[in-house]
Amino acid sequence: MTNTRAVNRALRYGGRSVALVAAALGLMAATPLPASADDGPTREQILADCESGEGKCTFNEPVFGEAFLGDFRPVSDQLYNCTTSAATQSMTWSDSVSSTDSVGVSLTVGGTIAKIINVSVTATYNHSWTDTHTETSAVNMTVQPGEVGWISRAQVMQKVSGTWQTHYDDPKWDHYYWFVDDTITGPAANGTDGRKNAVVVKSRKMTASEKKTCSSASAGSDKSRSAKGRIFLTGDR
């Protein structure tokens, strides 16, 4: 009799456990689960919803990479020395560097995406993040005769990686939540991780066609002539 009661008790509790597990599985099946962008929309679609505000987005767990010096880019007019002696002239340059996402698409300056990243970085690191940097200055540039010179600049850059979390009030692509990893590359403060911004003067020999243009410019009486980003130094200097 005792053994029969024990067996019945075990079966009774065992059946209850099975029922609880089945109920839990049914609840999980009925609950919309978060999904990754690989299962549905593209990363661009999700970020577009973040930018427009259709999706309520956060940039979770931001992690900074080590700062590095970006590529050199021309930031001034080109100076053509059409004279027979070296020429020195003060050249103004201006450079504006914006942030880009994983595939190199520039972020909207001051846009929603930039603000979300800044909020996340500030909360995590207690310092702000900038989506763009603009700088202007002047440099004395010396160009040899028959050459063209210009100013190039490289900005200190830094990557910040994180995960976008998007929440929709109503399911979109069959889910309320979507997650997508992203890495943003943007300008960093000069001196970050010991890296410094760089400004250099570059020059090269004129091409044959440029020399012809130089000859045409020299036909005038002015000692310098400008044409859409190009300055021609002519006459005796």
Side-chain angles (χ1 to χ4, degrees):
M1 180 70 68
T2 303
N3 290 337
T4 301
R5 289 178 178 175
V7 170
N8 290 338
R9 186 181 299 112
L11 290 173
R12 186 163 59 252
Y13 282 109
R16 186 177 181 183
S17 299
V18 171
L20 289 173
V21 170
L25 290 174
L27 179 61
M28 290 175 63
T31 303
L33 298 175
S36 68
D38 294 337
D39 302 324
T42 64
R43 183 188 54 80
E44 288 76 11
Q45 288 174 309
I46 290 179
L47 291 185
D49 284 351
C50 290
E51 184 66 45
S52 68
E54 181 179 349
K56 298 178 176 64
C57 299
T58 56
F59 189 67
N60 300 336
E61 300 179 350
V63 176
F64 275 112
E66 186 175 354
F68 62 96
L69 189 63
D71 295 333
F72 279 93
R73 304 182 306 149
V75 292
S76 72
D77 290 338
Q78 292 181 316
L79 183 64
Y80 290 78
N81 187 357
C82 302
T83 70
T84 57
S85 59
T88 300
Q89 183 161 316
S90 178
M91 296 287 289
T92 299
W93 60 264
S94 180
D95 190 22
S96 182
V97 182
S98 59
S99 299
T100 57
D101 63 13
S102 298
V103 294
V105 177
S106 295
L107 303 186
T108 302
V109 176
T112 302
I113 291 291
K115 292 177 181 177
I116 293 173
I117 297 174
N118 189 34
V119 168
S120 178
V121 168
T122 301
T124 303
Y125 293 95
N126 199 30
H127 67 75
S128 60
W129 173 84
T130 55
D131 58 336
T132 186
H133 175 79
T134 300
E135 191 170 333
T136 300
S137 188
V139 172
N140 284 330
M141 181 166 62
T142 299
V143 179
Q144 298 302 316
E147 293 189 353
V148 53
W150 67 94
I151 299 167
S152 285
R153 180 178 181 273
Q155 169 71 39
V156 175
M157 307 291 286
Q158 193 169 26
K159 297 180 184 292
V160 55
S161 300
T163 301
W164 289 103
Q165 176 182 323
T166 306
H167 169 246
Y168 296 99
D169 292 333
D170 297 309
K172 189 168 184 180
W173 299 292
D174 297 326
H175 292 278
Y176 285 95
Y177 292 90
W178 287 92
F179 295 86
V180 59
D181 295 333
D182 201 7
T183 298
I184 308 297
T185 303
N190 193 31
T192 301
D193 294 336
R195 303 295 192 272
K196 297 287 187 179
N197 297 331
V199 176
V200 297
V201 173
K202 295 190 175 183
S203 63
R204 61 171 173 79
K205 296 289 186 181
M206 292 185 196
T207 64
S209 60
E210 288 171 338
K211 288 180 179 179
K212 290 180 180 180
T213 304
C214 197
S215 297
S216 299
S218 298
S221 57
D222 295 338
K223 291 188 177 181
S224 65
R225 293 193 171 195
S226 299
K228 201 173 182 177
R230 298 186 296 174
I231 300 174
F232 296 90
L233 300 179
T234 61
D236 297 328
R237 301 182 71 83

Short mmCIF file of all heavy atoms in Angstrom, two decimals, residues 51 98-99 105-115 131:
data_model
loop_
_atom_site.label_atom_id
_atom_site.label_comp_id
_atom_site.label_asym_id
_atom_site.label_seq_id
_atom_site.Cartn_x
_atom_site.Cartn_y
_atom_site.Cartn_z
N GLU A 51 17.00 57.29 -37.18
CA GLU A 51 17.19 58.69 -37.53
C GLU A 51 15.86 59.43 -37.61
O GLU A 51 15.73 60.57 -37.15
CB GLU A 51 17.92 58.80 -38.87
CG GLU A 51 18.26 60.22 -39.30
CD GLU A 51 19.28 60.88 -38.39
OE1 GLU A 51 20.29 60.23 -38.03
OE2 GLU A 51 19.07 62.05 -38.02
N SER A 98 33.60 64.53 -40.93
CA SER A 98 32.39 64.02 -40.30
C SER A 98 32.53 62.54 -39.98
O SER A 98 33.49 61.88 -40.42
CB SER A 98 31.18 64.24 -41.23
OG SER A 98 31.39 63.58 -42.46
N SER A 99 31.59 62.01 -39.23
CA SER A 99 31.62 60.61 -38.84
C SER A 99 30.96 59.73 -39.90
O SER A 99 30.06 60.17 -40.62
CB SER A 99 30.89 60.42 -37.51
OG SER A 99 31.51 61.16 -36.48
N VAL A 105 29.19 55.36 -44.82
CA VAL A 105 28.18 56.38 -45.09
C VAL A 105 28.26 57.47 -44.03
O VAL A 105 28.26 57.18 -42.83
CB VAL A 105 26.77 55.76 -45.10
CG1 VAL A 105 25.70 56.84 -45.31
CG2 VAL A 105 26.66 54.70 -46.19
N SER A 106 28.33 58.73 -44.46
CA SER A 106 28.44 59.84 -43.50
C SER A 106 27.16 60.01 -42.70
O SER A 106 26.06 59.94 -43.26
CB SER A 106 28.75 61.14 -44.26
OG SER A 106 30.02 61.07 -44.87
N LEU A 107 27.32 60.23 -41.41
CA LEU A 107 26.17 60.48 -40.56
C LEU A 107 25.69 61.91 -40.77
O LEU A 107 26.47 62.81 -41.09
CB LEU A 107 26.52 60.27 -39.09
CG LEU A 107 27.08 58.91 -38.68
CD1 LEU A 107 27.22 58.85 -37.17
CD2 LEU A 107 26.20 57.78 -39.17
N THR A 108 24.41 62.13 -40.57
CA THR A 108 23.86 63.48 -40.65
C THR A 108 24.40 64.30 -39.49
O THR A 108 24.22 63.92 -38.32
CB THR A 108 22.32 63.45 -40.59
OG1 THR A 108 21.84 62.65 -41.68
CG2 THR A 108 21.76 64.85 -40.70
N VAL A 109 25.08 65.40 -39.80
CA VAL A 109 25.69 66.23 -38.76
C VAL A 109 24.59 66.79 -37.85
O VAL A 109 23.64 67.41 -38.32
CB VAL A 109 26.50 67.37 -39.38
CG1 VAL A 109 27.05 68.29 -38.29
CG2 VAL A 109 27.64 66.81 -40.22
N GLY A 110 24.72 66.54 -36.55
CA GLY A 110 23.72 67.02 -35.60
C GLY A 110 22.42 66.25 -35.63
O GLY A 110 21.44 66.65 -35.00
N GLY A 111 22.38 65.11 -36.37
CA GLY A 111 21.16 64.33 -36.50
C GLY A 111 20.87 63.46 -35.29
O GLY A 111 21.62 63.43 -34.31
N THR A 112 19.76 62.72 -35.39
CA THR A 112 19.31 61.88 -34.27
C THR A 112 20.32 60.81 -33.93
O THR A 112 20.59 60.55 -32.75
CB THR A 112 17.96 61.24 -34.62
OG1 THR A 112 17.00 62.26 -34.91
CG2 THR A 112 17.45 60.40 -33.45
N ILE A 113 20.88 60.15 -34.96
CA ILE A 113 21.86 59.09 -34.73
C ILE A 113 23.04 59.62 -33.91
O ILE A 113 23.47 59.00 -32.93
CB ILE A 113 22.37 58.52 -36.06
CG1 ILE A 113 21.26 57.75 -36.77
CG2 ILE A 113 23.58 57.63 -35.84
CD1 ILE A 113 20.86 56.47 -36.10
N ALA A 114 23.57 60.78 -34.32
CA ALA A 114 24.71 61.37 -33.61
C ALA A 114 24.36 61.69 -32.16
O ALA A 114 25.16 61.46 -31.24
CB ALA A 114 25.17 62.62 -34.34
N LYS A 115 23.15 62.19 -31.93
CA LYS A 115 22.73 62.53 -30.57
C LYS A 115 22.60 61.28 -29.71
O LYS A 115 22.98 61.28 -28.52
CB LYS A 115 21.41 63.29 -30.62
CG LYS A 115 21.52 64.67 -31.24
CD LYS A 115 20.16 65.36 -31.32
CE LYS A 115 20.29 66.74 -31.97
NZ LYS A 115 18.97 67.40 -32.13
N ASP A 131 30.41 64.38 -33.61
CA ASP A 131 30.16 63.74 -34.90
C ASP A 131 30.88 64.44 -36.04
O ASP A 131 31.00 63.88 -37.14
CB ASP A 131 28.66 63.68 -35.19
CG ASP A 131 28.02 65.06 -35.20
OD1 ASP A 131 28.58 65.97 -34.55
OD2 ASP A 131 26.96 65.24 -35.83
#
